[in-house]
Amino acid sequence: MTDSLLHCRYLIPVIPENTVLENHSIAIKDGTITDILPRNDAEKKYPGITAVELDQHIVLPGLINAHGHAAMSLLRSYANDLALMDWLDNHIWPTEARWVNDAFVFDGTQLAIGEMVKSGTTCFSDMYFFPEAAARAAIDAGVRCQLSFPIFEFPSNWGSGPQEYLEKGLALRDQYRSSERVKIAFGPHAPYTVGDAALEKVVMLAEELDAHIQIHLHETAFEVDSAVKETGMRPVERMRKLGLLSPRTQCVHMTTLNADDIQTITTNGCHVIHCPESNLKLASGFCPVDTLQKAGINVALGTDGAASNDDLDLFAELRSAALLAKAVANDPTALAAHAAVRMATINGARALGMDNLIGSIEISKMADITAVRIDTLCAQPLYDPPSSLVYTSSGSRVSDVWVGGKRLLNNRQLTTLDEADLLARAMHWGEKISSAKKHG
């Protein structure tokens, strides 16, 4: 038996690679993809089944945003045109210290989820304070997530130091151990904010629990140069010596790399999470995506937080990544359209350890699916569906989204979140924070 059929004009399954299927249908049962076949065959095989017409659409796996700080949507455009450390030290961290709490994170994460779903994202990775609030927000909305609970050497609103961060994070992991939607990972913030002892403890616990680790790494030349002066080692080498690098490690940003760094990442099987628009805005540098992929490194895509982006449209990120890869490599063939789509789908699933469930449209995988309209001025004429997804304004053309077979976006309308309520809560926070900023 089948619950529903999606009749697709164009279907990009991602696996097999470099494939576009025309006039095919997806059969879904209990949230799982059970069949992929030509439309004519589907209508004969499954008569009378509820069908969704996507005859003016490109259908692909739900996008996977492999790095972000969802609740920072409430700090969108709060501080602009600043260098990274100035931005953090003098603007973001002091503001977070004043305002971030459970309610801030819940409201900010739901705002982010609404934006992500409306632009085709079905799974996101988050690193932020009060991850228990982010988990509730994700479950309420019906999306998937990896929550990398933050670890710092210093106190924050969420904890007093490494020991408390670890205790709270491990308790959260126990709470969601059997969850299909929420996965808990370790989130040591960065080499310059976490000491060796805490990192060694993360390594021990991650190995014991077979858990993933996400860390900001080689984000700027300043970070790398400072590390060499202080430790005599580049951050990647320090992480290697501490045992942090493994196939469970997700290295975020990676803009300042030499050949030895790349070889170390390759040898240890780490994943790289590329956040091109945040890196461009903060002038953090350029991730050498083409070189990394040619070295066999899995490169996924993230938006980073809306405070440094300023949107969470992964299709926009995809376009920036494809164009930037060509410029950095000085090669117009770098990161071709199909490869770019893989960055935002199956590569993200592999980085998060979820590729057995999501990231491609295959039989037995979860029905996490995004549909993008093609009957718009900016999409026609249409010669190549993958190129249309990558190089045109696809995020604004997302019409429908399913997670586990449940329709979270129906003809641009959110079904599990109240958009008017999201806007009201966001505006309320904005007014409070703006007022406090004006009055010191």
Side-chain angles (χ1 to χ4, degrees):
M1 295 294 293
T2 294
D3 292 328
S4 58
L5 289 172
L6 308 184
H7 295 314
C8 315
R9 177 65 181 90
Y10 295 105
L11 173 59
I12 300 177
V14 173
I15 294 177
E17 292 186 359
N18 306 325
T19 299
V20 178
L21 302 174
E22 293 190 47
N23 296 314
H24 272 59
S25 300
I26 304 168
I28 300 170
K29 173 66 176 175
D30 295 333
T32 301
I33 298 168
T34 57
D35 209 352
I36 303 164
L37 69 171
R39 174 175 179 148
N40 289 340
D41 295 343
E43 290 174 336
K44 294 174 185 175
K45 186 173 180 180
Y46 303 107
I49 297 299
T50 300
V52 178
E53 287 289 349
L54 300 170
D55 57 341
Q56 295 294 330
H57 299 74
I58 301 169
V59 178
L60 71 160
L63 304 188
I64 299 169
N65 187 344
H67 175 72
H69 312 285
M72 293 184 82
S73 291
L74 292 178
L75 298 177
R76 193 192 312 269
S77 300
Y78 179 79
N80 284 319
D81 307 321
L82 300 166
L84 174 63
M85 296 316 298
D86 180 18
W87 181 76
L88 284 173
D89 287 339
N90 299 317
H91 300 273
I92 297 301
W93 283 343
T95 304
E96 288 177 329
R98 177 167 185 178
W99 294 105
V100 172
N101 56 24
D102 187 278
F104 179 100
V105 173
F106 182 84
D107 288 351
T109 302
Q110 284 214 325
L111 174 66
I113 291 170
E115 180 183 356
M116 286 190 283
V117 169
K118 291 196 74 169
S119 52
T121 293
T122 56
C123 176
F124 70 99
S125 179
D126 197 52
M127 182 195 290
Y128 207 61
F129 310 103
F130 298 91
E132 60 273 24
R136 297 197 311 273
I139 289 170
D140 284 356
V143 297
R144 296 185 203 281
C145 63
Q146 171 189 272
L147 302 179
S148 305
F149 63 85
I151 302 162
F152 293 90
E153 205 65 36
F154 47 81
S156 70
N157 295 12
W158 191 58
S160 58
Q163 185 59 35
E164 187 174 4
Y165 295 131
L166 286 167
E167 289 172 358
K168 287 187 171 182
L170 292 172
L172 191 66
R173 186 180 185 278
D174 286 341
Q175 181 180 348
Y176 289 100
R177 184 187 303 274
S178 59
S179 173
E180 180 191 289
R181 300 292 176 92
V182 177
K183 181 177 179 181
I184 306 300
F186 291 85
H189 174 260
Y192 57 88
T193 54
V194 189
D196 284 3
L199 289 171
E200 287 172 344
K201 195 158 190 178
V202 166
V203 170
M204 178 190 71
L205 290 167
E207 288 180 353
E208 178 184 323
L209 299 171
D210 192 25
H212 285 73
I213 301 169
Q214 185 166 112
I215 184 170
H216 299 92
L217 191 60
H218 282 235
E219 186 170 0
T220 64
F222 175 79
E223 172 200 338
V224 175
D225 292 343
S226 298
V228 171
K229 288 178 183 177
E230 293 173 14
T231 69
M233 292 179 285
R234 293 169 70 83
V236 160
E237 178 60 13
R238 177 178 160 225
M239 296 303 102
R240 184 195 67 79
K241 288 191 172 183
L242 291 169
L244 194 84
L245 303 183
S246 81
R248 294 187 300 270
T249 308
Q250 305 154 10
C251 307
V252 182
H253 296 304
M254 301 296 273
T255 66
T256 306
L257 301 173
N258 62 25
D260 289 341
D261 299 327
I262 294 171
Q263 183 57 55
T264 299
I265 294 300
T266 304
T267 300
N268 288 277
C270 306
H271 308 271
V272 169
I273 313 299
H274 180 32
C275 302
E277 292 191 349
S278 176
N279 291 340
L280 285 168
K281 186 176 183 185
L282 292 169
S284 297
F286 306 124
C287 179
V289 170
D290 188 55
T291 301
L292 295 177
Q293 292 189 328
K294 286 176 178 175
I297 296 169
N298 180 54
V299 183
L301 195 65
T303 58
D304 212 349
S308 64
N309 188 309
D310 297 319
D311 64 60
L312 304 181
D313 181 347
L314 203 60
F315 275 114
E317 209 76 32
L318 189 55
R319 184 174 189 266
S320 296
L323 296 176
L324 190 59
K326 299 174 191 306
V328 170
N330 194 28
D331 178 2
T333 70
L335 199 60
H338 271 291
V341 172
R342 289 195 294 273
M343 276 184 63
T345 54
I346 193 63
N347 290 12
R350 287 171 179 152
L352 304 185
M354 299 182 184
D355 52 310
N356 62 318
L357 296 175
I358 59 174
S360 58
I361 296 178
E362 297 182 82
I363 292 173
S364 81
K365 283 198 172 182
M366 303 306 296
D368 290 14
I369 296 167
T370 290
V372 180
R373 297 199 70 92
I374 58 175
D375 56 344
T376 61
L377 296 179
C378 67
Q380 291 295 333
L382 177 64
Y383 301 112
D384 181 61
S387 293
S388 178
L389 289 179
V390 173
Y391 297 116
T392 66
S393 55
S394 295
S396 62
R397 295 189 284 118
V398 171
S399 64
D400 297 89
V401 168
W402 290 261
V403 174
K406 182 175 181 178
R407 203 171 188 173
L408 303 190
L409 187 70
N410 186 344
N411 194 26
R412 295 295 296 163
Q413 298 300 309
L414 295 168
T415 65
T416 59
L417 293 169
D418 182 334
E419 189 164 348
D421 180 56
L422 294 181
L423 285 169
R425 282 186 277 157
M427 293 170 69
H428 176 68
W429 280 106
E431 289 165 2
K432 284 202 303 183
I433 294 170
S434 293
S435 177
K437 186 178 183 181
K438 287 176 185 177
H439 296 94

